[in-house]
Amino acid sequence: MVARGANPATAQAMSALPAANDGHQLLGQILVARGAVRAADLERTLELQRSVEGRIGSLLIRTGALSEDQLLDALSDQLGLPIVGRELSLPAAGSEWPVPAGEALPLDWLVDQQVLLWEDEQGVAWCASRDPLAPALQETLSYLYPERRVRLALAAGQIIERTLDGLSRTAHSEEYGSADDVRHLRELAEEAPVVELVNSML
């Protein structure tokens, strides 16, 4: 049903949006109703979506019509998913990252897909992403954890990148030794015999 006085093109554009999984309002309707985007911006972005691949929310951010926080708020309401850093907390900083029991996903894959996967203190497995309903991600989780429910959450790109960067640095230090080991190697390299050898070669 179109509200009286509504732009027919806008109504048609909103109807073109994919429906939410839980049958709630379409994402475009939520964003316009909240005043997060203008109807004209939504129309233009939907036109763009016809020529390039991508979800409408991501395209709205790329065109500068929407902020990531506004998108996460709308998606949280639409899909009923918690947002990391608000309703949901990540494992404590400095502690060992709690990987869900079962086959673990390679860190390189998590970084490439921008996904966080962990188990909370109650033993609940969580997967957080900017797009947790992505088909490829859902297929991977179903394959790795066929007998277990993995709960989904939304997360801002900055939180995902910062967390994955910390995990990568930890894995790197474990592979190549601690900071003390690296410092010791540097000291050995700076000792007189090595310096003299390099000088003689020069």
Side-chain angles (χ1 to χ4, degrees), residues 74-125:
L75 286 173
S76 179
D77 283 351
Q78 183 198 36
L79 304 174
L81 299 179
I83 300 175
V84 172
R86 300 185 195 176
E87 302 91 353
L88 181 65
S89 298
L90 290 174
S95 61
E96 183 177 355
W97 188 263
V99 179
E103 189 173 350
L105 284 166
L107 180 57
D108 288 345
W109 188 89
L110 295 175
V111 172
D112 181 64
Q113 300 296 317
Q114 290 293 283
V115 169
L116 300 176
L117 185 65
W118 76 97
E119 185 173 281
D120 66 17
E121 295 178 352
Q122 287 72 43
V124 177

Side-chain angles (χ1 to χ4, degrees), residues 144-185:
L144 291 178
Y145 306 102
E147 306 295 331
R148 186 173 189 181
R149 179 192 177 196
V150 178
R151 300 187 63 178
L152 304 176
L154 297 160
Q158 185 178 13
I159 290 178
I160 294 174
E161 291 172 4
R162 184 172 64 242
T163 304
L164 289 173
D165 182 62
L167 292 176
S168 297
R169 281 189 278 106
T170 299
H172 182 80
S173 66
E174 290 175 352
E175 181 177 356
Y176 294 102
S178 66
D180 290 338
D181 294 334
V182 174
R183 185 164 49 252
H184 179 61
L185 289 173

Side-chain angles (χ1 to χ4, degrees), residues 26-86:
L26 302 177
L27 179 59
Q29 293 173 330
I30 295 174
L31 293 171
V32 172
R34 288 171 168 230
V37 298
R38 298 180 303 171
D41 291 331
L42 178 61
E43 291 174 33
R44 283 194 294 268
T45 305
L46 283 165
E47 287 293 335
L48 176 64
Q49 190 183 38
R50 295 186 182 96
S51 59
V52 300
E53 293 185 1
R55 293 188 181 273
I56 189 65
S58 297
L59 292 175
L60 284 166
I61 291 175
R62 285 169 56 186
T63 59
L66 183 71
S67 72
E68 186 176 28
D69 284 342
Q70 289 173 317
L71 175 61
L72 290 177
D73 287 339
L75 286 173
S76 179
D77 283 351
Q78 183 198 36
L79 304 174
L81 299 179
I83 300 175
V84 172
R86 300 185 195 176

